[in-house]
Amino acid sequence: MTSRTTTGQATDRPRRAAPEQAAASTLADDQEAPFDQDRLPTPPGSSRALLASLLRPHSRRLWASALLVLLQQGAVQSGPLLVVVAIDTAVPALRGGDPVPLLSVAVAYLLTAVLAGGAQYAFVRQSGRVSQDVLLGLRTRIFRQLQDLSVDFHDRYTSGRVISRSTADVENLRGLVHNGLQDLVEIALSTLYISAVLLYLDWQLGVAALASTPVLVRLVRSLQRRSMRAYRRKSTATASVVVKLAETLNGIRTVRAFRRERANDAAFDVVNRRHELASGDASLEMTRYIVFSRLVADTAVAVLMLWSAYRVATGMLELGVLAGAVLYLRRLYDPIDRLGMLLNSYQAAAASLEKIAGLLLQRPGVPPPATPVELPVPRGPGPGRALVVEAASFAYRTGGEVLPRTDLALRPGSTVAVVGATGAGKSTLAKLLARFHDPTTGRVLLDGIDLRDLTDADLRRAVVIVAQEPFLFSGTVSDNIEIGRPGATREQVVRAAEAVGAHAFITALPDGYDTDLRARGGRISAGQRQLVSFARVLLADPAVLILDEATGSLDLPGERAVQYAMRTALHGRTAVVIAHRLSTAETADRVLVMADGRIVEDGAPADLVAAGGRFADMYRAWNESLR
Amino acid sequence: MTPTPALRRSAARTLLRLWPLIRPVRVHMITAVCAAVFATGASLTIPLVLKWMVDGPVSTGDLAGVWAGGAVLLLMGGAEAVLAGLRRWVLARPLARVEASFRALLHARLQRVPMAFHDRWSSGQLLSRVTSDLNQIRMFLSFPLMYLVVNGTTILGGYAILLAQRWTLGMVLLAPVVPLLVLCAVFESRYLVASLRAQDQSGDLATAVEESVLGIRIIKGFGRQRHQIDTLVGLAGRIRDTELDKARQLAVVRAASALLPELALGAALVIGVAQVAGGDLSAGTLVAFLTTALALRWPVESIGSLLAMGNEAAAATQRCFEVLDEPEEGEREPKPTAVTTTRTGPGELVFEGVEFRYPDALAGSPPVLRGVDLRVRAGETVAVVGATGCGKTTLTALVTRMHDPTGGRILLDGVDITDMPRERLRTEVAVAFEEATLFATTVADNVLLGGDGLGEADMWSALEVAQAAAFVAALPQGARTEVGERGSRLSGGQRQRLALSRAIIARPRYLVLDDFLSALDIRTEVLVEAALHDVLADTTALVIAHRPSTVLLADRVALLSGGRIAAVGTHRQLLRENTEYADLMGSGPQLRGGGDDR
């Protein structure tokens, strides 16, 4: 990141091609603020495609659910029929002393009631299962994708958006999958049934009634289009709310210390207001649809009624037929509201799915190998492995080289310190060695194998990088150390902590290793956090270890403990240490001094000091600071 | 991650707590209910008009009557459409406003609750409240609440009519009411609990998702993506299980509210038919009775779903009030004659027997600070040195009142800082932390938030001091460059330098710097320190230091050990006289040649 910004790479122009970006790019109506890439480019129809792919695995169960709705509707609709039967046949039969028809009606009614209740029960459970499986499937896809995407992607996209995508946006789909099927089936059923009855009773009336469909379809389409826009804005606004609040929560100390509360309230009001407007707009679109569709339907009923009256008057239609048809005529238009609501929840889901699809379409920064090569057993005498940078250079796609062509060979088991000013390219080198990025040209080899040919599992088992920020996850201290090796025993965890000198403070915590660190690392100091991160490394026990300024917050005793651990528990590992403090550099086998992306000095620390160059200068300055 | 086991209230009582927020839109709500009732009325009248037309004017060939009927139909249809629209229109903006004002309230409160609250709560839980929970409440207010009222009234009215028509048959139809009420009561309490659980779990998921992004470097660095995905999917799976549990309960209620009234209706049908056959009842009355009963079907059936949404909204409300019930950080009544001790004067920062233990510390555990006495004289810079985890950072948090001491006091200009409005205190004291928090905005915005009414010139001079001017100028858009989430586009050292610029830009009288140069390379550090010397000349400063180079900034050094200031003196003095200090500052045989195996 460092080198990226200081060497003049534009990283913050929203429309520029980023290191990884989906091939298709059709950004439509919404104007987005700079840096706001809430809506990643998606090809048209991607939300529908995503929905289809989510539902496909469950098609059988969806059909079963639909069948249950049909059963339930059948049972419910037969109630009135039974009433007719009872009055028309059971009453006279009973008067004639025959209780059988009444008993049959009673039994039939009981059966339909039980069937209706049972089908309802089965449907609610079944559709609950299906819809929850769909949501879980979608979440799983999002989570996989998040872990595949590069570190740089996440820096740009921000955690707030990711949270919004995997919670609020997924929940928007929930409304659709929970009730959508039932609505859809019932609407279709009612429309089909009533159209059929109308056509049967009087085909001319039926055809005329169906003639209003094109108008209604146009209304539906307009609702879809317009509410989609509102829901898109709403989903973006929700994400902005989350981003804004997440930032405030994560920086609450700074917010307080610099009295930003009121300024934050004002800034939050802006996004909150945007959300309010979008939310209101979506409701108003629905209102508009309801009013117009009702007007169309009611006008149609009135006109058809007048036409029918004319036909009765002219003898073209029998009065009896009209008497039967007229009530169905009205009921034909009953599902209009429900259709609107169904479409509404579909659009809300589609707007969210579109955002999710954009996220899922991003290509991972470092693709997995097509044909993985297995990593051989270490060739050297110790556990360390050789790391070779072969004519590698690195540039962001936006142009401008961050790391010019570099060659470097690290002997197995050697400790190499990398020093240089901020922005010299140290972190970029570390990222290439750990394959957070792939080099633009050339390659990086681990024991002779291109990193791109290794499976992620093999690579990470062999090469571990410890980043600058000692981030701790919520959970216990032990959980956090175990990230180094999931499933490690308590004894192994304790041994790792002891080796880095973290055992003493951990046991002093209220619950020792089982102390919950709560949100954002709780109350252990920055230095202690770095010790915990370092304990992870001991547990991971890699062949190659890259420390990217991972010891900055340690005090000198802490630093000594880490150095001691590196010489003992991690003895024989290949180590690349990026550090500001020369205490690490002076004990290394080899020092690389970097400036402007190039390695400008390379040699044993003592030789470099003797040669008198940049390192010698730094060394002198450091020595003075100690005096 | 929800720390407070919430008080159990009934759903209705919980929802009543929303009243102050709904009050401003009560007229709108009432209008909407009325519109809904009239719209229902209009849509029920239309079939009657149709029937009247067929039986009347159409059959008799009364042309005028037909046209009149058509006109009435159009009128009723128009009324229905307008009323249905009115019901939605009247609530669309106001309810969005209610949601937004509730959200603003939560946001404002979250910024002003004591810091201990934030130590307790994970951000995911708070985020999910501010988004999903509020959304759920708004949805409930816009539709289910109204229909609980409308359908409830319809049911009551319907049953009254049924009883009036034939009270014996009416009683038969009323029979399922008691079991249904019992079922609903049981359902309510259980469903509310399940809804709370589901929403808490989705808050936990939000937390885990946030961490998986903020910690992506660690996850990738250790190749733990698989493990992380499993964790997240596991959490999502828990939500699924809870939702399935909810679906199971809902299924029972919906099935029962379909089945029981239907059985009663069947019974009424059989009894009614028998009575008609026996001549006790006219067939017409039975038909009318059953028609009314069938019309009540949907309102009765809908109650289950409506209650479910009510319970979800109640759970959401409860979760939001868990935040709103947390009081804001109080200000003590400012004493007009603040105690000015003779011993301290303007520009001095004095700790007097300061004790501190975290509010959530285990009973019996020792306090973090147990009697810190330290005087930082006007214009003086004092470095605080101590082993990692000894409470140095806690000490700095007390100066800006992120927490208040549990014993003793801190005086600024001779005034106890707890007698000072926080706002003023934080204007006087500027801070820079080791973990430099930058906000996702431009460099300029981040630096300028250090003070009010500052301009470009102030910013550049502050950047000069922090040795940040050069790299800022080299950024693509200079000081207008966006720094990314938490400043992620910059290196740790760059972030720290911006945070330092922010702290010094307003030339505060007091400065608290917590290991603020840890990520800088040695050259830059030396330059920053040289420039800082001028700034610090007339500033009273407390500096937390880990290394000798930082200590050199200070006039005096205080060693914090065992919760107390164990020694005060100059760096050299302490190096000579205090072994703990000498060990911390790395002096001694270990320094050279790496012979530090202890």
Side-chain angles (χ1 to χ4, degrees), chain B residues 248-474:
Chain B
R248 204 161 30 239
Q249 296 177 31
L250 185 61
V252 171
V253 163
R254 283 185 60 179
S257 57
L259 174 67
L260 293 180
E262 200 68 0
L263 286 179
L265 196 64
L269 176 65
V270 172
I271 296 171
V273 165
Q275 286 180 347
V276 170
D280 300 334
L281 187 68
S282 78
T285 312
L286 180 61
V287 170
F289 180 88
L290 290 174
T291 311
T292 314
L294 283 171
L296 286 180
R297 227 185 199 172
W298 181 73
V300 171
E301 247 192 73
S302 70
I303 293 291
S305 304
L306 293 177
L307 277 183
M309 288 187 262
N311 278 310
E312 281 169 0
T317 307
Q318 178 166 335
R319 281 164 47 84
C320 290
F321 275 100
E322 279 166 14
V323 173
L324 282 185
D325 286 342
E326 184 78 20
E328 290 188 3
E329 250 176 357
E331 294 284 7
R332 203 191 281 182
E333 278 295 301
K335 292 178 192 165
T337 51
V339 209
T340 313
T341 49
T342 45
R343 293 174 295 118
T344 69
E348 287 203 335
L349 173 62
V350 178
F351 297 82
E352 277 183 5
V354 170
E355 259 183 45
F356 183 73
R357 57 186 299 145
Y358 281 99
D360 55 354
L362 288 184
S365 63
V368 185
L369 302 174
R370 20 178 146 178
V372 171
D373 290 299
L374 180 65
R375 170 186 300 242
V376 187
R377 300 188 199 104
E380 189 187 32
T381 301
V382 169
V384 176
V385 172
T388 184
C390 74
K392 301 186 295 286
T393 297
T394 305
L395 192 68
T396 63
L398 297 184
V399 179
T400 46
R401 289 191 68 194
M402 294 298 162
H403 297 283
D404 282 337
T406 42
R409 55 183 192 159
I410 300 172
L411 304 169
L412 201 78
D413 293 337
V415 179
D416 187 337
I417 57 170
T418 53
D419 288 332
M420 227 181 259
R422 284 192 179 77
E423 177 100 22
R424 208 193 104 205
L425 173 70
R426 290 172 186 167
T427 317
E428 298 278 347
V429 184
V431 292
F433 308 118
E434 193 219 339
E435 266 183 74
T437 315
L438 298 187
F439 297 110
T441 168
T442 62
V443 170
D445 288 345
N446 267 296
V447 174
L448 286 171
L449 67 79
D452 308 315
L454 298 163
E456 287 266 315
D458 303 296
M459 179 185 76
W460 285 108
S461 70
L463 289 173
E464 288 294 346
V465 172
Q467 307 300 311
F471 88 78
V472 169

Side-chain angles (χ1 to χ4, degrees), chain A residues 1-2 5-6 9 11-13 35 76 87 94-95 106 109-110 113 117 120-121 125 132-133 136 139 143 147 149 151 155-156 158-159 162-163 166 171 174 182 234 242 247 250 253-259 261-262 264-265 268 272 275-277 279-281 284 286-287 291 294 298 309 319 330 422 456 460 464-465 469 471 473-474 483-484 486 510 520 523 525-526 528-529 536 553 555-556 560 567 580-581 586 623 625, chain B residues 43 46 59 66 77 80-81 85 88 93 96-97 99-100 103 107 111-113 115 118-119 123 131-132 138 205 209-211 214 217-225 228 232 236 240 243 248 251 254-255 259 262-263 265-266 270 273 276-277 287 297 312 358 360 362 388-389 402 423 426-427 431 433-435 437 439-440 476-477 481 485 488-489 491 494-495 502 519-521 547-548 583-586 591-592 596-597:
Chain A
M1 286 276 72
T2 305
T5 32
T6 46
Q9 303 313 309
T11 55
D12 48 349
R13 301 205 184 119
F35 218 75
V76 168
I87 291 171
L94 199 60
R95 279 187 182 139
Y109 214 103
L110 183 70
Q120 179 73 276
Y121 177 83
R125 292 204 55 180
Q132 285 303 318
D133 285 349
L136 186 63
R139 284 199 161 114
F143 298 151
Q147 296 300 316
L149 288 170
V151 167
D155 286 345
R156 284 183 296 124
T158 74
S159 61
V162 168
I163 293 176
S166 44
E171 277 154 29
R174 186 189 152 195
Q182 185 165 16
K234 189 176 168 185
V242 173
E247 180 167 62
N250 283 323
R253 278 213 307 166
T254 308
V255 167
R256 293 277 171 89
F258 287 96
R259 299 163 286 118
E261 293 94 339
R262 271 196 287 276
N264 268 348
D265 283 341
F268 188 75
N272 195 15
H275 185 272
E276 179 192 333
L277 280 177
S279 177
D281 285 349
L284 287 178
M286 186 63 193
T287 305
V291 171
R294 268 285 143 219
D298 289 331
L319 185 64
R330 160 77 185 172
T422 294
D456 194 65
R460 301 299 165 198
V464 157
I465 179 166
E469 252 97 311
F471 186 85
F473 296 87
S474 56
I483 289 172
R520 297 180 285 279
R523 292 222 188 83
S525 73
Q528 290 169 334
R529 258 178 267 176
R536 290 174 184 152
S553 305
D555 56 10
L556 295 175
R560 281 197 294 266
R567 269 200 308 278
H580 294 308
R581 302 206 202 157
E586 71 172 353
N623 264 331
S625 81
Chain B
S43 62
I46 291 175
S59 61
V66 168
E80 185 199 19
R88 289 166 181 277
R93 296 263 178 238
R97 205 178 317 128
E99 184 191 353
R103 181 174 290 119
H107 178 262
Q111 288 197 95
R112 291 170 179 87
V113 291
M115 286 300 288
H118 290 287
D119 292 344
S123 54
T131 53
S132 336
R138 184 183 57 83
L205 181 68
V209 168
E210 183 183 37
E211 284 181 354
L214 296 181
R217 286 177 170 78
I218 288 138
I219 296 162
K220 283 190 182 278
F222 284 94
R224 294 291 168 259
Q225 293 96 321
Q228 188 64 26
L232 290 171
R240 173 184 175 273
E243 289 291 344
R248 204 161 30 239
R254 283 185 60 179
L259 174 67
E262 200 68 0
L263 286 179
L265 196 64
V270 172
V273 165
V276 170
V287 170
R297 227 185 199 172
E312 281 169 0
Y358 281 99
D360 55 354
L362 288 184
T388 184
M402 294 298 162
E423 177 100 22
R426 290 172 186 167
T427 317
V431 292
F433 308 118
E434 193 219 339
E435 266 183 74
T437 315
F439 297 110
Q477 276 104 42
T481 308
E485 182 173 29
S488 58
R489 290 167 176 235
S491 75
Q494 290 172 329
R495 283 201 292 273
R502 175 166 71 194
L520 264 57
D521 58 275
R547 345 180 212 178
D583 185 46
L584 280 171
M585 283 295 113
L591 188 61
R592 294 300 141 75
D596 55 345
D597 301 3

